[in-house]
Amino acid sequence: MRKAPNDKHIAVRRCILTGGQMDSRRLIRLALGPDGIVAPDVRSRAPGRGAWVGVTRDELDAAVAKGQLLGKLKSVLKTTDIAFPNNLPQAVDDALASELLQRLGLEAKASQLISGAEKVETAARMGNVALLLHAADAAENGRRSLDQAWRVGSDAEGSSLQGLVLPFDRDQLSLALGRSNCVHIAIMDDRAAARIGLFLFRLLGFRGVDVSVLTDRVFGNETAPEMTIEEEPAAALI
């Protein structure tokens, strides 16, 4: 799998539940609304105060049930006038899934991806595929065949390189992409693959799925000497 270009500057944020600091793209922002309600801000664009979490769905469920999340939010946001719905973890999951489908739709409109088993196989064998994706209900033999074509075109025969199975079936993908019968998708452009990979990384990571295969694709080599990681002062980490 080809790597996306490194970013020169990375915003670092702290997870309020674990205390760990990392690339903000790996975290999910919870925004405090003017009504005192906390809601997921998966684009990290909502105005006002917010806090960051970098845990799985199960861990967030546990933090909500134990009152840990509420306590951390009150401490970080420095207010007791805070509330959030009991289904906050599900709201985060729904928002991440929606963002991924929207991103796939945008890349389809920009002609950055192709669909259809024959087209995908041809592009894969020619080495023109940056990222290979399968619908959740794609047949196993179809996935295996295209995975092998991708390995051949990537000079990676004998490796574990394979397409990623999306958490959406063909009907959901077809609706999002504005096409019919979308079962297999090939992303042709490296940057488009990195953009889609980021949304996949966030959604699947939140669901507790191993997303290490996407790390290089999305984040590149974060330890590269030329990389400058800008960490904001602790007071600005919200």
Side-chain angles (χ1 to χ4, degrees), residues 15-16 31 45 68 109-110 113 118 125 134 153 160 193 213 215 234 236:
C15 171
I16 62 172
R45 293 179 180 176
Q68 181 186 12
K109 289 180 180 178
L113 57 81
E118 292 185 6
R125 289 190 179 279
H134 305 296
S160 60
V213 68
T215 302

Side-chain angles (χ1 to χ4, degrees), residues 10 16 45 60-61 93 127 160 189 200 211-212 229:
I10 296 175
I16 62 172
R45 293 179 180 176
L60 188 59
D61 274 324
D93 189 284
S160 60
D189 177 75
L200 263 172
V211 288
S212 56
I229 299 180

Side-chain angles (χ1 to χ4, degrees), residues 126-148:
M126 293 178 64
N128 294 330
V129 173
L131 184 61
L132 177 62
L133 305 172
H134 305 296
D137 57 343
E140 185 178 352
N141 60 341
R143 295 201 311 266
R144 286 202 307 263
S145 177
L146 293 180
D147 289 346
Q148 177 59 21

Side-chain angles (χ1 to χ4, degrees), residues 8 31 39 45 64 116 161 170 175 202 218 225 227 230 238:
K8 294 291 184 181
R45 293 179 180 176
V64 170
L161 180 66
R170 68 187 68 195
L175 181 62
R202 287 157 61 82
V218 177
M227 186 74 87
E230 294 186 342
I238 61 174

Side-chain angles (χ1 to χ4, degrees), residues 141-224:
N141 60 341
R143 295 201 311 266
R144 286 202 307 263
S145 177
L146 293 180
D147 289 346
Q148 177 59 21
W150 193 26
R151 287 191 289 270
V152 170
S154 302
D155 292 326
E157 291 181 83
S159 75
S160 60
L161 180 66
Q162 61 184 13
L164 292 170
V165 178
L166 294 167
F168 311 115
D169 62 26
R170 68 187 68 195
D171 291 337
Q172 292 172 295
L173 289 176
S174 298
L175 181 62
L177 273 61
R179 305 179 183 184
S180 60
N181 198 32
C182 289
V183 181
H184 306 285
I185 300 170
I187 316 302
M188 315 295 286
D189 177 75
D190 284 341
R191 292 187 179 277
R195 290 191 295 266
I196 292 172
L198 175 59
F199 287 95
L200 263 172
F201 183 97
R202 287 157 61 82
L203 175 60
L204 297 182
F206 184 64
R207 292 182 176 182
V209 177
D210 180 6
V211 288
S212 56
V213 68
L214 288 168
T215 302
D216 282 354
R217 160 60 57 202
V218 177
F219 303 103
N221 182 5
E222 294 184 352
T223 60

